Every structure is written in structure tokens, then in C-alpha cells.
Amino acid sequence: MTNTPTEKLFILAAGIMIDPKGRLLIVRKKNTEKYMLPGGKIEPQETPIEALIRELKEELDVEIPLALANFITTYEAPAANEPGYQIRSNLFFILLPQEIKVTAATEIAEAIWITPQEIPNYNFAPLMTSFVIPTWLDLITEAGASLGFDLHNA
């Protein structure tokens, strides 16, 4: 972890959410260009997992059981929409047992399920390109068949 001053640091919880076809859920906030993971800032009274569950409900109208969200790591990267700021993201992995409908709400302009073939079509936040996309691609390449992902029909 870097020693980013706290006034220049956003502490977040975010979910690498993958559906049964192996697709990744990405979101874009209103009035921004970069795509990122669903999630958001952790409130003072919240744990990272509580913040993620709350943000998914507020921003996408998705209710995820706590047991589905597995903590992966904490990762720092430049903030996508605030120059000079860093994010420290508590990343969770969520493998959905079935496809779900997501509805962009509050500050979210778009919520999209993407396949690996669609990666070049999007402008991603720094955390996405440095960590999330490679992690997702490794997972679906190494474990995709055993997890039942159907990437050819995604």
C-alpha cells in the first residue's frame, strides 16, 4: 500500500461480479467516461462487505446474499474521475448462480455485462486495467470450463 494522504484517498468496496456465462458486470457513473466495477465509498459505520451490499442495492437494484461475496484483496490505483486522488478498493468476487437483471440507478448511467471480446470497446478506470481485467481473464481461462462458463454463447 502506498502512503497516500487520507485527504487524497477514497476508501471503497467493489465487486468483481461474474454471471453464469463468465461475463463481467461493469458500470459507468453519470457525467463520466470511464467504466469501473460496481461499488462505492464505505460509510464510517460500515464494514467493506456491508458497503458493497448497500451500494449494489442502491445503484443497481441488486440484492446479493453476504455468502456470495468473497473478499479477494485490497488494491490501490489512481482514481478514475478525480485527478490527483487515489482509491483503496476492498475487492470482492461474486460468482452469480444465475443471470440477474441490473437496473442503473442513482449516479449510475450504464450497467453492462461484457465478454472478453468486448474489452477493446470500453474506456476503463485504472483499477480495471491494472488488476480487474487480468484477474477476470485468468479466472475464466483457468477455471471457466470447470465453473460452467459458456463464453461462446455470451
Side-chain angles (χ1 to χ4, degrees):
M1 299 265 182
T2 61
N3 291 330
T4 304
T6 53
E7 67 273 7
K8 295 278 189 181
L9 181 68
F10 298 117
I11 301 177
L12 312 172
I16 299 174
M17 194 176 307
I18 299 175
D19 78 358
K21 292 182 177 178
R23 298 178 306 173
L24 176 70
L25 181 65
I26 58 171
V27 299
R28 184 181 59 78
K29 291 184 176 182
K30 291 178 181 169
N31 304 312
T32 67
E33 296 178 4
K34 297 203 182 285
Y35 288 84
M36 57 190 62
L37 291 175
K41 293 183 181 121
I42 301 170
E43 300 293 336
Q45 75 283 2
E46 289 180 314
T47 65
I49 186 74
E50 290 169 340
L52 177 62
I53 299 297
R54 176 184 52 76
E55 290 282 351
L56 292 173
K57 178 65 179 154
E58 289 174 5
E59 295 180 348
L60 301 171
D61 196 28
V62 169
E63 292 188 47
I64 299 294
L66 280 172
L68 274 187
N70 298 287
F71 179 75
I72 304 171
T73 190
T74 302
Y75 195 88
E76 280 197 21
N81 301 310
E82 294 86 2
Y85 284 78
Q86 288 280 113
I87 60 161
R88 181 176 299 147
S89 189
N90 294 271
L91 292 172
F92 292 85
F93 174 68
I94 302 166
L95 181 58
L96 296 170
Q98 72 260 345
E99 289 184 48
I100 61 168
K101 181 177 181 273
V102 294
T103 305
T106 63
E107 73 259 25
I108 301 300
E110 288 183 88
I112 304 166
W113 293 100
I114 64 166
T115 65
Q117 295 79 12
E118 295 170 302
I119 291 170
N121 302 340
Y122 296 95
N123 180 7
F124 292 109
L127 175 66
M128 296 293 292
T129 55
S130 64
F131 183 80
V132 173
I133 299 290
T135 300
W136 170 51
L137 293 176
D138 284 349
L139 173 81
I140 60 178
T141 300
E142 295 170 13
S146 64
L147 292 172
F149 293 153
D150 184 6
L151 296 172
H152 302 293
N153 295 315

